[in-house]
Amino acid sequence: MDNYDANANVVLSADVSGYTNSLQAASKETNSFIGLVDKVASRLDGMSKRAGKRITLFSAADIAAMTGFAAVAANYEKQLSTINVTLGKGQDNIQKYSKGINELTRTTSKSRGEIVALTAQIRQMGISSQAENQKLASTFLNLSKATNASLPAVTGQMIEFSRQMGMMGSAGAGSMQKLSDSLVTVSQSTGTSAEGILSFSQAIAPISKVAGLTSKDVLGISAAFNRAGADGFAAGNTFNTMVADIARSTRNGSPELLKYANLIGKSLDEFRNLDPAEQLVQIF
């Protein structure tokens, strides 16, 4: 076996001053921090004694929850401002509206934001009384639930239909409730959607009012058209043209009215004596 120079020079440094200095500094910082904690604890204890009750520190979850509640409250105030800006001097104050909104929120499945939006939507009808507003809101909420219709959509349609039929001046909560009941009845009895009925009703409402049809007549005719699948623009246009022609012929004594009488097997006098809604029902 060959001879090799296996001498190895190993230098071990025993100088640990760097580590010792760092350790001492860390210990000093730690002691200083502990001292601060003790001072804070002592002050909290003193405050607790002076207040006569225990001070409880909130956890991160508690703080997060409080932050969330604060955001909800701020958002509610913002929502209420949409109603508040329309409240003039001498009108119901925002506290009454807030109380009514809270009451409706507790008794329905809708969120507070949806109730606030509904309240604002009703105020656009010119309803300044908070009590009347809340009754109307309850009516629309029940209608939406009974017909499974979108709350904002069915509310807007009911308001517009009432306006077209000239009901806005007298359409208090009682009148709107009756109209809502009629809509629910025809919707359920014909198996057609409330929104579909109201959509067609809005299309034929102006000429129907001129022809002497009531709002209930219009809802019933619209439901019949929807059930037959004739609920589009063409059907509405055909209906309006015919109603206008009958109304004009009746008013002017035109012989054109005879063609409608013959269509349903009636004499001219018999046809004239029919209720406007009955004329149309028999024709269609």
Side-chain angles (χ1 to χ4, degrees):
M1 186 174 178
D2 295 334
N3 293 324
Y4 293 95
D5 185 2
N7 293 328
N9 294 322
V10 179
V11 179
L12 297 176
S13 175
D15 185 3
V16 294
S17 59
Y19 171 76
T20 302
N21 291 336
S22 297
L23 185 60
Q24 290 175 344
S27 178
K28 182 178 180 181
E29 291 295 330
T30 300
N31 290 332
S32 177
F33 177 73
I34 291 174
L36 289 174
V37 171
D38 288 340
K39 288 181 180 179
V40 171
S42 177
R43 290 176 182 177
L44 285 174
D45 185 56
M47 290 170 63
S48 176
K49 290 178 180 178
R50 287 194 296 274
K53 60 182 180 181
R54 181 185 175 196
I55 294 178
T56 302
L57 297 178
F58 294 105
S59 68
D62 293 329
I63 294 174
M66 286 189 292
T67 302
F69 294 149
V72 169
N75 186 50
Y76 181 39
E77 290 299 321
K78 184 178 179 180
Q79 291 169 343
L80 285 178
S81 68
T82 63
I83 300 173
N84 194 27
V85 294
T86 66
L87 293 175
K89 185 177 180 181
Q91 291 180 313
D92 297 283
N93 57 49
I94 196 66
Q95 285 76 23
K96 290 183 179 179
Y97 274 92
S98 180
K99 182 179 179 180
I101 289 167
N102 288 334
E103 183 177 327
L104 288 173
T105 303
R106 287 194 301 269
T107 56
T108 67
S109 60
K110 300 297 181 181
S111 68
R112 181 177 290 167
E114 290 175 300
I115 303 298
V116 171
L118 175 62
T119 301
Q121 192 174 7
I122 294 171
R123 279 197 59 82
Q124 293 176 0
M125 294 172 58
I127 306 298
S128 59
S129 166
Q130 183 276 328
E132 194 78 356
N133 188 299
Q134 188 171 345
K135 290 178 183 178
L136 284 167
S138 181
T139 294
F140 292 135
L141 284 164
N142 291 333
L143 174 61
S144 174
K145 182 178 180 180
T147 60
N148 198 31
S150 161
L151 178 59
V154 77
T155 298
Q157 287 179 310
M158 284 285 281
I159 292 173
E160 181 58 27
F161 178 56
S162 298
R163 182 180 291 111
Q164 290 175 314
M165 294 301 293
M167 296 174 58
M168 293 305 294
S170 60
S175 298
M176 193 63 77
Q177 181 63 58
K178 291 178 181 178
L179 185 62
S180 175
D181 291 342
S182 296
L183 177 58
V184 171
T185 298
V186 296
S187 175
Q188 293 180 348
S189 62
T190 59
T192 54
S193 72
E195 290 169 290
I197 293 172
L198 284 171
S199 179
F200 194 82
S201 295
Q202 287 176 256
I204 66 174
I207 193 65
S208 296
K209 182 176 183 298
V210 172
L213 297 176
T214 67
S215 57
K216 292 182 180 180
D217 292 335
V218 175
L219 290 176
I221 291 171
S222 297
F225 270 81
N226 270 262
R227 186 176 184 179
D231 55 353
F233 173 79
N237 189 51
T238 299
F239 178 89
N240 287 336
T241 300
M242 186 174 290
V243 170
D245 191 28
I246 292 174
R248 182 175 57 254
S249 297
T250 300
R251 184 174 60 253
N252 299 334
S254 172
E256 288 292 315
L257 197 62
L258 184 59
K259 67 180 181 182
Y260 294 109
N262 290 335
L263 192 63
I264 61 174
K266 299 285 185 182
S267 68
L268 186 57
D269 288 338
E270 287 175 331
F271 186 79
R272 283 174 174 166
N273 290 330
L274 289 175
D275 180 85
E278 187 61 28
Q279 290 177 341
L280 295 169
V281 168
Q282 291 198 30
I283 289 173
F284 286 103

